[in-house]
Amino acid sequence: MKGRVIRALSGAAAMALAVAAAPLLAEGPTDADLMNDAASTGDVLTYGMGPQAHRFSALNQINAGNVAKLVPAFAASLGGEKQRGQEAQPIVYDGTIYVTGSYSRLFAFDARTGEEKWQYDARLPDGIMPCCDVVNRGAAIYGDKIIFATLDARLVALNRLTGKVIWNKQIADYQAGYSATAAPMIVKGKVIYGNSGGEFGIVGAVEARDVETGELLWRRPTIEGHMGTLNGKDNGITGKTNATWQGDLWKTGGGATWLGGTYDPDTNLLFFGTGNPAPWNSHLRPGDNLYTSSTLAIDPDTGVIKWHFQTTPHDGWDFDGVNEFIPFDATINGKPMKLGAKADRNGYFFVLDRTNGKFLGAHKFVMQTTWADGFNPKTGRPNYNDANRPGAPGAAGAKGSSVFASPSFLGGKNWMPMAYSNDTGLFYIPSNDWGMDIWNEGIAYKKGAAYLGAGFTIKPIAEDHIGALRAMDPKTGKIVWEYKNKAPLWGGVLTTGGNLVFTGTPEGYLKAFDAKTGQELWKFQTGSGVVGSPVTWEQDGEQYVAVMSGWGGAVPLWGGEVAKSFKDINQGGALWVFKLPK
Ligand code: CA
Ligand code: CA
């Protein structure tokens, strides 16, 4: 609208107004707004509802006493024939809800009516290679821009009012197996993001670009031996070449940073998890294979790694290490500490000193971990069960001995984000109990081809459930309560000052639980499986809750023998928004 008014004026008056209007057009969330997102209850500006990604809102208008009355305000369809997994977390700002959809689409809906304002569809080339469905997990908002990543490994900045492209940058080569599905984050005017493709022998990296121009500022590869950059110049090799990798294997070493990161303003550190070493067959790559299956603390100003902690050294089960590392503060043994926690795919919940990466504890949060029996409290390394590592391939790459390992490679917890309640001090972990037969095979790297050297079949390990939402006390490592779900849980979690925990199920429900007891208080059938991350905000004096519905993601692609728990679930693609009746 402003642009049209300016064009209607003539000459110098238009010039003067254009100059005066320029800052107005760029109005929108600032760096300070993003850092304050957890406290500002009237909007949802960041993936994680705050840079620390607690996914906690102090709002309590909807609470354990009245949530049973929650009803839909509206739903909005993503339409089209592209209904695959909808894993996005909505962004809410200034009367608009922004959601990303399957096949790299971004939608702006009116936050009061659900009417579509605009839609952007990325033109994806043939030959993209997403490993685990054509999902997208969300966008980043800043000033006049809304920014998201696409399956052909591009980052696109759109005008948040019109959906028009402001800049569009290639971040990696999709023909080599790179893709991108995570929500970018913005810290101090930099868009910071990772890459995907760990099943194709890519090299993981974290990169920062100027949010205004999209130009690369720094790059930090996650595999030792690769050179980092800062402002176009070399900025030091990651780790020490051949310290934990043999020969040239580090050149195709994996370590994808496919889930993005969190940021802690207290320590000025970014925390990024890294994925599996490549190939999966661990006998082909002796050593710890740094920095795969780790959490990295990175300086957001330079891209330098400040500390690392490897959760699965020499990973042989595709446990990855990408899961979100959430900063939190607690008093341990009478001492106030700056901590961080990660619920890893390997079935252990890690608590570290986030100022230096020091190991403080690893607590089992799933039914079974066959591959290790706890962690050494001094070294922070797993007590490996060597017999549970799948055997080396035989002569000419013949299949090696198979083992039954638990968790399965889909993890005790996968990508779906947990929440941390500032009220209860508990983490709410969307977890799964399942195992797998896994064996190794011979493999050689070929650009753009799967680089696993392993085969697998996923199997249930319990009669009554696969999914389990668990409340973890990070001070004691104890599970305070759990809710069991028949199908695998694959959606994110939200917790609120109303003593509530929200999460979705593949069976199609968004559910609310008592945050202290785990009692189920409310559920609503959304029409398709829920694998998105719910959010809440206040608008016109009322509290709203929103979630994406649309079954998909990695589970139905790789489900093995667990598939019967979800074979009848229909696909979909809709944003659902709820509130209390007036
Ligand atoms: Ca906010
Ligand atoms: Ca992986």
Side-chain angles (χ1 to χ4, degrees), residues 199 276 280 318 320 345:
E199 272 56 62
N276 59 285
W280 284 17
D318 186 35
D320 267 41
R345 284 240 296 260

Side-chain angles (χ1 to χ4, degrees), residues 92-310:
V92 186
Y93 179 70
D94 194 22
T96 305
I97 303 175
Y98 299 93
V99 294
T100 57
S102 50
Y103 291 101
S104 306
R105 295 174 295 163
L106 203 160
F107 298 76
F109 293 112
D110 186 296
R112 291 181 177 84
T113 64
E115 280 179 44
E116 185 179 301
K117 294 186 170 184
W118 54 261
Q119 172 180 346
Y120 173 82
D121 289 26
R123 272 190 214 142
L124 297 171
D126 292 336
I128 54 169
M129 283 177 255
C131 74
C132 313
D133 202 3
V134 288
V135 297
N136 187 282
R137 302 196 173 94
I141 192 168
Y142 187 92
D144 59 347
K145 299 177 189 64
I146 186 100
I147 300 167
F148 81 126
T150 60
L151 289 164
D152 55 344
R154 303 188 76 91
L155 205 57
V156 183
L158 306 172
N159 180 300
R160 66 176 173 79
L161 298 175
T162 64
K164 296 282 181 297
V165 175
I166 297 174
W167 52 258
N168 180 336
K169 299 286 182 184
Q170 184 176 347
I171 57 175
D173 175 9
Y174 73 88
Q175 290 176 315
Y178 287 92
S179 56
T181 52
M185 67 193 300
I186 296 173
V187 176
K188 301 189 218 179
K190 300 182 181 72
V191 193
I192 300 174
Y193 55 91
N195 60 17
S196 306
E199 272 56 62
F200 297 94
I202 60 89
V203 173
V206 180
E207 293 183 347
R209 288 174 185 265
D210 185 316
V211 69
E212 299 301 343
T213 64
E215 293 308 311
L216 185 69
L217 298 174
W218 57 254
R219 175 167 212 278
R220 175 51 53 192
T222 61
I223 301 294
E224 72 180 20
H226 294 270
M227 179 61 77
T229 65
L230 174 63
N231 299 325
K233 298 195 180 73
D234 285 354
N235 192 33
I237 284 172
T238 297
K240 186 166 172 284
T241 310
N242 285 139
T244 67
W245 289 87
Q246 294 188 1
D248 284 343
L249 286 164
W250 56 276
K251 292 179 180 171
T252 52
T257 46
W258 59 264
L259 196 48
T262 57
Y263 172 68
D264 176 35
D266 287 354
T267 55
N268 190 34
L269 291 173
L270 300 166
F271 302 112
F272 271 75
T274 61
N276 59 285
W280 284 17
N281 180 345
S282 60
H283 299 276
L284 297 176
R285 43 172 175 74
D288 277 357
N289 310 132
L290 291 172
Y291 293 104
T292 62
S293 300
S294 301
T295 292
L296 304 181
I298 297 174
D299 181 338
D301 304 313
T302 63
V304 168
I305 295 174
K306 294 296 195 178
W307 58 256
H308 74 276
F309 182 85
Q310 192 172 37

Side-chain angles (χ1 to χ4, degrees), residues 522-533:
W522 172 82
K523 66 177 178 181
F524 179 85
Q525 174 57 248
T526 65
S528 180
V530 177
V531 293
S533 298

Side-chain angles (χ1 to χ4, degrees), residues 486-506:
K486 186 180 167 219
L489 291 179
W490 211 251
V493 183
L494 162 72
T495 183
T496 74
N499 188 34
L500 290 173
V501 176
F502 290 88
T503 200
T505 71

Side-chain angles (χ1 to χ4, degrees), residues 44 46-49 55 87-91 98 137-139 533-535:
V44 177
T46 55
Y47 185 78
M49 297 179 62
R55 296 182 182 275
E87 293 188 352
Q89 178 218 291
I91 295 288
Y98 299 93
R137 302 196 173 94
S533 298
V535 295

